[in-house]
Structure formats: C-alpha cells, structure tokens
C-alpha cells in the first residue's frame, strides 16, 4: 500500500498560485507583457491559472506557450509556437522542481535568443537538487530525502493536491 503525505490541499494550492501571480507581477510591473512558458502538462495548467489571475490584477499582456520534453530523457524540447523571445520576460512554469533537470533542459530553446530575463515558478520546490537551479517564485518549499517523490495530483484542469511518497 502506498503512503501519501498530503502537503497541499486544493484550497491551499489556489492561494499559493494567487500569491505566485502577485509576486510575478511585483517583479515585472515595469514591463508591458510577459510570456508564461508552461512545461507540459502540469506546468501548462498552472501557467493558465497564473495567467487568469495576472489578467485580473495587472495590465500586463500575458502570452502562454507550452514546452514539451521527455522528463526522463530530456534531449529535445518542442515549443508550441515559434516566437521571438528577444528582450522578453519569460517565466518558466512547472508543478514541482525535484532535481532541477527538467526545468534546466526546458530552457534550451529559449537560450537561442536574448530574453530580457528568464524567471522560474513552481508550485512545490524540493530542496534536494542535482542540478544548479534556483526557483524565483515558489508556492511551497519542502526539504525531503532523495528517496521521497513529490507529486501533484490533477483531475482534468483542476489541481487536487500535492503530496510526497
């Protein structure tokens, strides 16, 4: 039998996403637009939720793109649409930063350009990373053992909970 340790409930997740949206706006209020680059598939769902809040609380023009990659073997990254990322603010969004590998590989196609800045946002940030990644906007930080897996449970477009096992 699997053991689930719930760390975030649906209500708390919504509050965390709202707080992340406010932080993104605070750090980018001098701009006119922002690109939310969601990592497929949970990161894309979170990016859409962030965009909905940002559109309510800020005058920023929000553009969402999807970054698709194999999280186990992240060689190639497919971007949902080719746009010019030069001098743009990009926030790469995912559900959990475990080792940091997925988020770092997701940056590959963006580095062909000269963005104004690239920031990162995750719902849950694990403190044990194998790759040099520091997350800018974090819903919840968690110190776990290397054996613990942090997972986000989804039901369609709804984020149900975050837990580790």
């Amino acid at each position: 039998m699997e053991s689930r340790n719930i760390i975030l409930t649906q209500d708390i997740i919504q509050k965390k996403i709202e707080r992340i949206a406010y932080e993104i706006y605070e750090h980018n209020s001098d701009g006119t637009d922002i690109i939310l680059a969601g990592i497929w598939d949970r990161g894309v769902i979170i990016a859409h939720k962030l965009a909905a809040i940002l559109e309510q609380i800020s005058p920023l023009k929000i553009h969402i793109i999807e970054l698709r990659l194999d999280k186990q073997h992240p060689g190639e990254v497919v971007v949902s649409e080719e746009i010019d990322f030069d001098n743009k603010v990009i926030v790469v969004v995912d559900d959990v930063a475990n080792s940091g590998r997925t988020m770092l590989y997701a940056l590959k196609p963006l580095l062909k350009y000269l963005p104004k800045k690239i920031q990162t946002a995750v719902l849950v940030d694990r403190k044990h990373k194998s790759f040099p990644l520091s997350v800018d906007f974090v819903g919840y930080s968690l110190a776990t053992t290397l054996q613990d897996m942090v997972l986000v449970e989804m039901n369609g477009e709804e984020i149900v909970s975050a837990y580790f096992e």
Side-chain angles (χ1 to χ4, degrees):
M1 183 173 144
E2 72 180 58
S3 79
R4 269 191 188 185
N5 297 303
I6 302 281
I7 51 176
L8 297 173
T9 62
Q10 193 168 11
D11 290 344
I12 293 172
I13 288 169
Q14 182 59 35
K15 288 178 177 56
K16 299 287 185 189
I17 290 173
E18 287 174 18
R19 188 174 58 77
I20 291 170
Y22 275 97
E23 286 182 33
I24 289 171
Y25 178 45
E26 286 170 14
H27 285 84
N28 298 292
S29 60
D30 58 340
T32 56
D33 60 340
I34 193 164
I35 297 170
L36 297 179
I39 296 175
W40 185 259
D41 64 331
R42 289 175 173 88
V44 174
I45 292 170
I46 293 170
H48 279 282
K49 293 186 179 305
L50 288 169
I53 297 164
L54 283 164
E55 287 168 353
Q56 290 177 355
I57 65 171
S58 80
L60 293 173
K61 182 177 178 279
I62 311 299
H63 189 85
I64 298 174
I65 63 167
E66 298 173 3
L67 303 173
R68 289 181 183 247
L69 67 154
D70 181 338
K71 293 185 179 189
Q72 304 309 314
H73 304 284
E76 183 187 352
V77 181
V78 178
V79 182
S80 62
E81 61 182 283
E82 284 300 320
I83 57 175
D84 182 2
F85 295 104
D86 284 340
N87 206 31
K88 300 279 196 293
V89 174
I90 305 164
V91 180
V92 180
V93 182
D94 206 2
D95 60 341
V96 179
N98 276 311
S99 69
R101 180 176 66 182
T102 299
M103 184 112 13
L104 280 182
Y105 274 92
L107 295 174
K108 272 176 45 174
L110 308 177
L111 298 177
K112 294 185 291 190
Y113 301 89
L114 292 170
K116 182 176 180 182
K117 55 182 155 177
I118 298 176
Q119 300 168 322
T120 52
V122 296
L123 184 58
V124 180
D125 182 25
R126 276 192 45 187
K127 289 301 175 184
H128 295 292
K129 290 197 185 50
S130 305
F131 291 79
L133 177 74
S134 175
V135 181
D136 298 296
F137 309 110
V138 177
Y140 187 75
S141 274
L142 181 66
T144 61
T145 67
L146 292 173
Q147 291 75 33
D148 289 328
M149 275 300 296
V150 177
L151 302 162
V152 173
E153 182 183 2
M154 306 289 248
N155 183 3
E157 299 290 306
E158 290 304 309
I159 306 169
V160 178
S161 68
Y163 62 94
F164 70 93
E165 55 184 29

